[in-house]
Amino acid sequence: AQSVAQPEDQVNVAEGNPLTVKCTYSVSGNPYLFWYVQYPNRGLQFLLKYITGDNLVKGSYGFEAEFNKSQTSFHLKKPSALVSDSALYFCAVGGISGTYKYIFGTGTRLKVLA
Amino acid sequence: DTAVSQTPKYLVTQMGNDKSIKCEQNLGHDTMYWYKQDSKKFLKIMFSYNNKELIINETVPNRFSPKSPDKAHLNLHINSLELGDSAVYFCASSPWAVAGSVQYFGPGTRLTVT
């Protein structure tokens, strides 16, 4: 079965420290991978995506993600966390079974402590 | 200008009632979606339309009926509301119905069934 896993419900990090939010996937074929962020009482906002090419993808607000085919992972990273980065982060895989459908992970709440 | 808008933002109603949620996008996109986000923040696709045609129809009770009068609008009608329908419903749109397409989300409609 095709799936996306975000193993951590919550990640706490001190402001100024690097952050990593983990995502692993299990899909057949080449995946289309996305990260979205959800602030309280808001809809999801696109951060970045991987389709093909360079394994390190840069996105909005200083975020980047590394695609690792052998580990089937697409971890979200930022070199220096800000308190304003605190939000719910979703990993998603698109192109499921040749369709336009996304599967979203269960979300990871990031808390950046001042 | 709001890209993807939903009305109403909040909806409180009693079991057994029928209600509708409206969605409009002014991005000129071809594809629109309805998602349900439950109390644990798990996000699941319900329906997708491409140019007014239904292209994704997940396992959703047939009390839920989407309608797309034109490609800028996708409404969701729910009959005989049940307690388990309480959730946040998100509308989204994307430029095309292709696997790598970024989705743009509305602010959500919080439905509470009492």
Side-chain angles (χ1 to χ4, degrees):
Chain A
Q2 306 191 87
S3 62
V4 179
Q6 292 181 243
E8 301 151 319
D9 286 339
Q10 182 157 319
V11 169
N12 294 332
V13 64
E15 188 174 31
N17 281 4
L19 70 88
T20 299
V21 182
K22 294 180 181 175
C23 173
T24 57
Y25 63 91
S26 172
V27 298
S28 53
N30 292 324
Y32 299 85
L33 297 160
F34 302 81
W35 276 101
Y36 285 81
V37 59
Q38 185 179 24
Y39 296 101
N41 301 314
R42 303 283 295 274
L44 278 70
Q45 294 176 35
F46 169 72
L47 275 180
L48 50 80
K49 69 177 181 180
Y50 173 83
I51 304 294
T52 186
D54 195 352
N55 289 344
L56 186 65
V57 178
K58 293 191 183 297
S60 307
Y61 312 122
F63 282 94
E64 56 192 29
E66 187 165 12
F67 171 64
N68 187 319
K69 189 171 183 177
S70 62
Q71 295 186 3
T72 61
S73 67
F74 189 56
H75 300 333
L76 181 70
K77 301 183 182 197
K78 188 173 182 182
S80 177
L82 299 172
V83 171
S84 57
D85 293 330
S86 299
L88 188 57
Y89 289 80
F90 288 94
C91 181
V93 177
I96 303 300
S97 303
T99 71
Y100 327 103
K101 198 167 71 169
Y102 276 25
I103 292 178
F104 280 89
T106 48
T108 298
R109 190 166 297 284
L110 173 67
K111 227 175 180 179
V112 181
L113 308 164
Chain B
D1 264 353
T2 305
V4 182
S5 58
Q6 294 179 229
T7 52
K9 195 167 169 62
Y10 299 97
L11 187 52
V12 181
T13 188
Q14 291 185 325
M15 280 175 55
N17 284 352
D18 303 338
K19 290 293 178 187
S20 291
I21 307 171
K22 296 187 178 201
C23 178
E24 177 181 0
Q25 55 95 1
N26 63 5
L27 297 166
H29 290 170
D30 282 353
T31 312
M32 296 184 74
Y33 311 80
W34 277 114
Y35 286 89
K36 179 180 180 181
Q37 186 176 46
D38 63 22
S39 58
K40 294 184 178 176
K41 305 297 184 184
F42 184 64
L43 200 64
K44 193 167 191 301
I45 187 153
M46 301 172 70
F47 302 103
S48 178
Y49 272 73
N50 186 58
N51 266 322
K52 303 192 295 174
E53 282 194 39
L54 184 65
I55 57 171
I56 294 174
N57 185 353
E58 289 296 282
T59 311
V60 176
N62 57 15
R63 298 181 294 104
F64 289 79
S65 52
K67 273 209 174 73
S68 182
D70 55 61
K71 73 174 193 178
H73 296 84
L74 179 61
N75 303 323
L76 183 65
H77 188 76
I78 316 169
N79 288 328
S80 304
L81 277 154
E82 299 177 358
L83 292 177
D85 298 333
S86 294
V88 181
Y89 292 84
F90 286 102
C91 177
S93 72
S94 64
W96 311 282
V98 294
S101 215
V102 173
Q103 295 187 16
Y104 296 80
F105 284 77
T109 295
R110 184 174 294 276
L111 171 65
T112 304
V113 182
T114 60

